Amino acid sequence: MKRIALVIKQIKTVAGVMMVVSSLALLQACGSDNKNESRTEDAMERTGDAMEADAKDATAEARQDINEAGDKVEATADEAAADFERERREAVADIKEEQAKLDTRIDKVQADIKAQGNKVKAETREELAELEQKRKNLAADLDKAQNATAAAWKDIKAGFKQAGRSIGNAFDKAEDKVDPDGKDD
């Protein structure tokens, strides 16, 4: 669009210059003794022809610029579509990886619950239930990611980031209650 505006501005400038040149030619003709009428008419005709040629050149240049801009927009759209597909594949892979990690952590917390006392069991079971709910939510997110359109992708990505932080925080709380020293067996 900026190029089109620039071309239009150039056309206006060329037209203005041509008008000034024409005006000067006419002014000179008016000041003569009418002996050079044919030269003045020739000069006016040449000026008009030059203005017409400049306008045609500017129009052709503007068309070319518009076509190039259209090609660039099309290429950018193709690139955006490829980026969306790549991002979606990466997000789906990340979610699946996060699910696997979460499943492993849930299994570990369940095993730790069995090994701990009753007080720890009650507190940790609550956290485990929260982790399992988040796992279900992650499965729903995975389905959304796999079926997402390009238009909805930005909103979905933001939701994934928030959900990922929430799941990590919930697991950390549960793990601290089961193994407060942070030791792994």
Side-chain angles (χ1 to χ4, degrees):
M1 290 306 226
K2 290 181 180 180
R3 289 191 73 122
I4 293 170
L6 181 62
V7 169
I8 291 171
K9 186 175 179 180
Q10 289 174 344
I11 291 172
K12 287 181 180 179
T13 302
V14 169
V17 169
M18 291 302 173
M19 292 174 100
V20 170
V21 170
S22 297
S23 297
L24 290 174
L26 286 174
L27 198 73
Q28 183 180 7
C30 290
S32 72
D33 57 0
N34 292 331
K35 292 181 184 175
N36 296 326
E37 267 185 43
S38 62
R39 273 198 302 179
T40 304
E41 288 174 0
D42 288 344
M44 286 178 53
E45 191 175 308
R46 284 192 304 264
T47 302
D49 291 345
M51 287 176 59
E52 187 177 322
D54 286 345
K56 285 181 182 178
D57 289 346
T59 302
E61 199 174 300
R63 280 190 186 121
Q64 182 180 355
D65 289 345
I66 289 170
N67 289 338
E68 288 174 6
D71 292 345
K72 287 180 183 177
V73 167
E74 190 175 312
T76 301
D78 291 344
E79 187 177 310
D83 286 346
F84 156 70
E85 290 294 331
R86 179 188 47 77
E87 283 183 353
R88 185 172 68 174
R89 278 193 308 273
E90 289 173 1
V92 167
D94 289 346
I95 291 171
K96 286 180 179 180
E97 183 179 325
E98 187 65 30
Q99 277 183 324
K101 287 179 184 178
L102 191 56
D103 289 341
T104 301
R105 288 178 170 180
I106 288 171
D107 291 343
K108 183 182 182 307
V109 170
Q110 287 173 334
D112 289 344
I113 287 174
K114 290 178 184 175
Q116 299 297 319
N118 287 336
K119 182 181 178 194
V120 174
K121 282 184 186 181
E123 292 172 0
T124 306
R125 280 193 178 120
E126 213 174 277
E127 294 296 327
L128 180 60
E130 187 178 326
L131 281 173
E132 288 172 341
Q133 180 60 45
K134 290 191 185 286
R135 171 62 172 85
K136 287 179 187 176
N137 294 343
L138 192 60
D141 288 345
L142 177 61
D143 184 53
K144 287 178 188 175
Q146 290 173 331
N147 298 309
T149 63
W153 185 243
K154 275 188 175 180
D155 293 335
I156 291 171
K157 275 192 337 185
F160 289 156
K161 288 178 183 175
Q162 181 65 26
R165 285 191 295 271
S166 180
I167 290 170
N169 292 341
F171 178 74
D172 291 342
K173 286 180 190 176
E175 191 172 63
D176 287 345
K177 288 181 180 176
V178 173
D179 189 8
D181 297 334
K183 296 178 191 172
D184 288 332
D185 293 323

